Amino acid sequence: MGLTLTEKIIKEHLIEGEMTPGKPIGIRIDQTLTQDATGTMAYLEFEATGLDRVKTELSVSYVDHNLLQSDFRNADDHRFLQSIAARYGLYFSKPGNGICHQVHLERFAAPGKTLLGSDSHTPTAGGCGMLAMGAGGLDVAMAMAGQPFFLNMPKVVGVLLKGSLSPWVSARDVILELLRRLTVKGGVGKVMEYLGPGVATLSVPDRATIANLGTELGATGTVFPSDGVTRQFLAAQAREADWQPMEADPDAQYSEMIEIDLSTLEPMIACPSSPDNVVPVREVAGRPVSQVIIGSCANSSLRDLMLAAKTLETREISPDVSFEINPGSRQVLENGDETGVLKALIHAGARIHQSGCLGCIGMGQAPATNTISLRTFTRNFPGRSGTKNDQVYLCSPETAVASAIQGRITDPRDLGAAPDLEMPGKFIINDNGIIPPLEDGSGVEIIRGPNIKPLPKFDPMPDDLDGVVLLKLEDNITTDHIMPAGSKILPLRSNVPAISEYVFSQIDPEFSKRAKETSPSIIVGGENYGQGSSREHAALAPRYLGVRAKLVKSFARIHKANLINFGILPMTFADASDYDTISQGEKLSIPGIRQALLGGADTVTIRRQDGSTFQARLELSERERQILASGSLLNWVKAQL
Ligand code: MIC
Ligand code: SF4
């Protein structure tokens, strides 16, 4: 039987386990990436392994999230990361050089390779024919240490593309349509693999937009074939040598097939406050907008800026709109300058920002009270923009620019003929924002600012666990709910005691205080618990506050892995109706939990205060059980050494 492209890449990298969907596998990781908000912790963890140099083919440390330097803390983190890169053999991409996923696609992505990144949108590089996945910082640290990456063998879903996109409809609308159909949990445990004649009509940046937002489906990754279009892209990046053709076997078996006729798609938009709250733009057209931003790792390539520039050549931005551009990388900026795109945007009145995540993670660009902000970003979770009760809509650059012109949500097809976009055959390539690794970094001194605190130490799992239910939450809780970001909290990513004060702060401002008073504690949740960001602080900080178990209907992949890495027991209800009977404040006991873990039990009995019991599932591999029993992945790895 033939293999899917995903299976081919996994087979080539398989170190442990069998390729049966749902079963644990360990795969070799060729490349890693980190960004500054998750990177400082990942490198503290890498340091704890005691190794002298990273063991991957290529590892890159990017600075793109914390670019606001309102005091010394972010700047100190940047210097720490630069010194770590020099010390341990990594590339370092400087602040302002661009968003990790955009720069990685341009300069390092290579067909057939595996990439693990401490950022949930790492799958972006799947647009270039590689298997790229997001993970917690500790998993990335372990990959840098040469350890396999462990995950459950994903199911591979085939997405068959036919036809070609109509004018004013773009890659963004393809993935918005998929989000509409499948929702934010539709991709959990799956890799989305694109195939069919429609693929060749999409450029690599288009494919990267689709791969990037596969993350919002909850997917483990998204893989596109590597074809002539990929070759052309790599040639324009002066990297044709990295190209190799890659595709699924003609008789490959997919676990499920989804068909999309590109020619039938229309402009789509995700309404507040979830990336899957998708409707055709027509349905919400006419609502007034106060801010429009083109940017983020999903839609900030030269093509996206060129589309906006060309559309604005003969039109003006509405006086009521703040129209902003966050270029994905310095390469985008420089080539935008060369091709006249930048000039046209400046002339039209756009606010041009530096390359980076910026408002996508609440580092500035917060919208005004009770107004609509339209963005080409990845996520519109409540409050993520920095404004309470925000109304953030997510859409294509086409819809964004049309709405900026009209001052209200506009179907771009109403503008008349679409502009022709002519991309340069060769890009200006300038890697002076990327510092290559040193031959020998052993003499480099690591620069640590006062905000960089050592990693906390965690105890092993006790024999019996008693805990109070400190919070009971609904479905689709995001890691932004658990550990918010934004300009006030992000600078604390290197300081666990300080950041833990903000755990669940949007939901319950007293949470951290209550948690410290009532340790150990348990959190109860619904479906797809922990979706969104890969931030391991959403596990690490609660653990620091004494949270020892989470009991939910189902977990998102990366968050579950992070919980295990930091010794928080992830359990699911054996019977989902038990969820309804649990109330906040009640005490639950799990006698014999350590033995149950180590003995391989699939279920445990949970005892309630009134003496009644119910069952919870432990869906864990042998390795995960040992990690949980040791109290954390670092404890376990140290014991192994
Ligand atoms: C995000 O988009 O939520 C982030 C910020 O990039 C996160 C990483 C983080 O929280 O540092 C992600 O997507 O993993
Ligand atoms: Fe940065 Fe936003 Fe992309 Fe996250 S989703 S990496 S914050 S641009």
Side-chain angles (χ1 to χ4, degrees):
M1 194 179 70
L3 296 179
T4 64
L5 175 50
T6 308
E7 288 164 339
K8 286 187 187 179
I9 301 176
I10 291 178
K11 191 172 171 208
E12 183 72 15
H13 291 82
L14 195 66
I15 291 179
E16 269 187 60
E18 271 172 48
M19 290 175 26
T20 311
K23 293 276 174 263
I25 52 169
I27 60 171
R28 191 179 74 248
I29 295 298
D30 302 322
Q31 304 185 347
T32 64
L33 73 77
T34 57
Q35 36 88 343
D36 50 317
T38 54
T40 48
M41 202 46 74
Y43 296 111
L44 290 172
E45 290 152 358
F46 179 77
E47 277 188 301
T49 66
L51 287 172
D52 212 43
R53 197 174 172 91
V54 293
K55 296 200 163 169
T56 43
E57 288 174 12
L58 172 117
S59 286
V60 193
S61 170
Y62 293 92
V63 178
D64 53 4
H65 281 62
N66 291 332
L67 301 182
L68 266 188
Q69 287 158 229
S70 37
D71 63 24
F72 64 93
R73 290 174 300 187
N74 288 337
D76 280 2
D77 282 353
H78 302 169
R79 299 221 323 148
F80 168 71
L81 292 169
Q82 183 164 351
S83 64
I84 284 274
R87 171 71 186 80
Y88 293 111
L90 292 94
Y91 285 87
F92 178 70
S93 173
K94 292 170 73 177
N97 193 53
I99 306 173
C100 54
H101 309 304
Q102 176 71 26
V103 179
H104 208 85
L105 184 73
E106 292 165 356
R107 307 306 303 140
F108 299 112
K113 300 279 182 192
T114 53
L115 165 68
L116 194 71
S118 62
D119 190 280
S120 66
H121 292 102
T122 304
T124 313
C128 204
M130 68 193 297
L131 181 63
M133 293 168 292
L138 187 46
D139 282 329
V140 176
M142 291 300 134
M144 291 190 285
Q147 298 293 313
F149 172 57
F150 293 92
L151 73 163
N152 290 337
M153 177 67 197
K155 290 184 182 158
V156 185
V157 177
V159 186
L160 182 70
L161 300 183
K162 291 185 169 162
S164 59
L165 293 166
S166 311
W168 294 114
V169 182
S170 66
R172 179 69 181 224
D173 300 305
V174 178
I175 188 70
L176 282 168
E177 168 61 14
L178 219 50
L179 276 156
R180 188 187 68 79
R181 289 196 208 171
L182 305 181
T183 80
V184 289
K185 46 182 199 217
V188 177
K190 301 171 183 172
V191 169
M192 313 302 287
E193 184 172 310
Y194 287 77
L195 68 158
V199 169
T201 68
L202 300 172
S203 69
V204 168
D206 289 341
R207 298 175 187 184
T209 293
I210 296 173
N212 171 286
L213 290 161
T215 296
E216 300 327 311
L217 294 167
T220 304
T222 290
V223 177
F224 274 86
S226 167
D227 56 9
V229 175
T230 320
R231 181 179 204 159
Q232 227 176 11
F233 172 80
L234 288 171
Q237 291 289 340
R239 297 204 290 123
E240 204 174 345
D242 290 340
W243 183 74
Q244 54 167 321
M246 307 234 32
E247 62 178 353
D249 291 329
D251 56 343
Q253 294 282 313
Y254 291 91
S255 74
E256 163 190 354
M257 249 344 216
I258 298 173
E259 212 177 287
I260 298 183
D261 181 351
L262 298 173
S263 61
T264 62
L265 294 182
E266 61 176 309
M268 308 291 279
I269 191 164
C271 300
S273 290
S274 177
D276 62 355
N277 195 7
V278 175
V279 298
V281 173
R282 261 204 318 254
E283 261 181 43
V284 290
R287 300 186 184 174
V289 300
S290 73
Q291 182 189 47
V292 175
I293 317 179
I294 295 183
S296 94
C297 53
N299 271 113
S300 60
S301 64
L302 183 62
R303 180 253 167 227
D304 297 332
L305 270 53
M306 190 180 282
L307 177 277
K310 294 266 178 207
T311 308
L312 283 165
E313 257 170 16
T314 52
R315 301 176 179 91
E316 285 187 354
I317 295 164
S318 158
D320 298 327
V321 173
S322 170
F323 180 58
E324 311 187 29
I325 302 282
N326 302 347
S329 67
R330 226 163 37 92
Q331 186 189 93
V332 169
L333 259 178
E334 201 168 353
N335 286 278
D337 182 35
E338 179 74 6
T339 51
V341 162
L342 211 52
K343 183 165 180 236
L345 289 170
I346 295 170
H347 187 75
R351 296 170 65 181
I352 313 285
H353 297 273
Q354 70 174 316
S355 305
C357 299
L358 315 182
C360 181
I361 193 55
M363 296 302 266
Q365 301 183 306
T369 315
N370 291 331
T371 66
I372 290 180
S373 174
L374 218 70
R375 303 167 162 208
T376 66
F377 295 178
T378 54
R379 295 180 169 145
N380 57 349
F381 300 145
R384 181 172 158 110
S385 68
T387 298
K388 247 197 154 105
N389 304 319
D390 54 7
Q391 298 172 52
V392 177
Y393 290 68
L394 305 173
C395 62
S396 68
E398 285 81 351
T399 303
V401 70
S403 307
I405 292 165
Q406 303 289 352
R408 46 195 158 75
I409 298 180
T410 301
D411 185 323
R413 293 172 300 180
D414 293 349
L415 293 185
D420 277 336
L421 304 183
E422 224 180 287
M423 299 300 293
K426 285 254 173 297
F427 281 86
I428 304 172
I429 309 293
N430 172 359
D431 284 336
N432 67 8
I434 303 177
I435 303 173
L438 295 176
E439 276 295 314
D440 174 8
S442 55
V444 173
E445 188 203 335
I446 293 173
I447 307 172
R448 265 173 247 272
N451 187 47
I452 299 176
K453 298 284 186 247
L455 285 174
K457 296 208 164 47
F458 295 131
D459 324 327
M461 183 65 76
D463 291 336
D464 312 302
L465 186 62
D466 287 346
V468 174
V469 177
L470 268 196
L471 265 189
K472 182 178 173 187
L473 301 156
E474 66 274 27
D475 290 350
N476 293 323
I477 287 294
T478 72
T479 43
D480 276 78
H481 289 107
I482 306 170
M483 187 74 261
S487 56
K488 187 164 144 203
I489 307 178
L490 266 191
L492 304 173
R493 286 284 180 95
S494 318
N495 184 338
V496 176
I499 205 168
S500 68
E501 300 289 324
Y502 295 93
V503 171
F504 286 118
S505 55
Q506 283 180 5
I507 295 178
D508 173 1
E510 297 289 298
F511 181 84
S512 73
K513 187 164 162 269
R514 292 199 294 123
K516 281 188 211 150
E517 287 163 6
T518 328
S519 166
S521 57
I522 298 177
I523 308 287
V524 171
E527 302 279 3
N528 198 25
Y529 182 88
Q531 66 156 331
S533 158
S534 65
R535 58 191 73 152
E536 62 188 345
H537 299 75
L540 178 50
R543 173 71 209 270
Y544 180 79
L545 294 175
V547 175
R548 287 309 299 261
K550 296 215 178 178
L551 174 59
V552 304
K553 291 184 187 166
S554 67
F555 285 102
R557 173 186 66 93
I558 302 178
H559 187 59
K560 181 178 175 191
N562 285 335
L563 292 174
I564 295 166
N565 286 349
F566 293 101
I568 296 183
L569 179 68
M571 300 179 289
T572 50
F573 287 99
D575 177 350
S577 68
D578 288 323
Y579 168 90
D580 303 321
T581 68
I582 292 188
S583 32
Q584 198 162 302
E586 88 172 88
K587 191 166 164 198
L588 302 177
S589 310
I590 319 170
I593 182 59
R594 189 180 168 84
Q595 188 44 44
L597 276 173
L598 293 173
D602 291 336
T603 53
V604 279
T605 303
I606 302 189
R607 191 164 299 143
R608 310 181 62 159
Q609 254 165 312
D610 63 7
S612 66
T613 61
F614 64 94
Q615 299 286 307
R617 277 204 202 96
L618 300 176
E619 287 158 309
L620 299 164
S621 69
E622 177 53 38
R623 175 178 169 274
E624 291 170 335
R625 289 166 185 273
Q626 288 178 21
I627 294 170
L628 282 165
S630 328
S632 77
L633 175 56
L634 269 183
N635 291 355
W636 183 71
V637 169
K638 280 192 193 145
Q640 303 278 303
L641 297 174

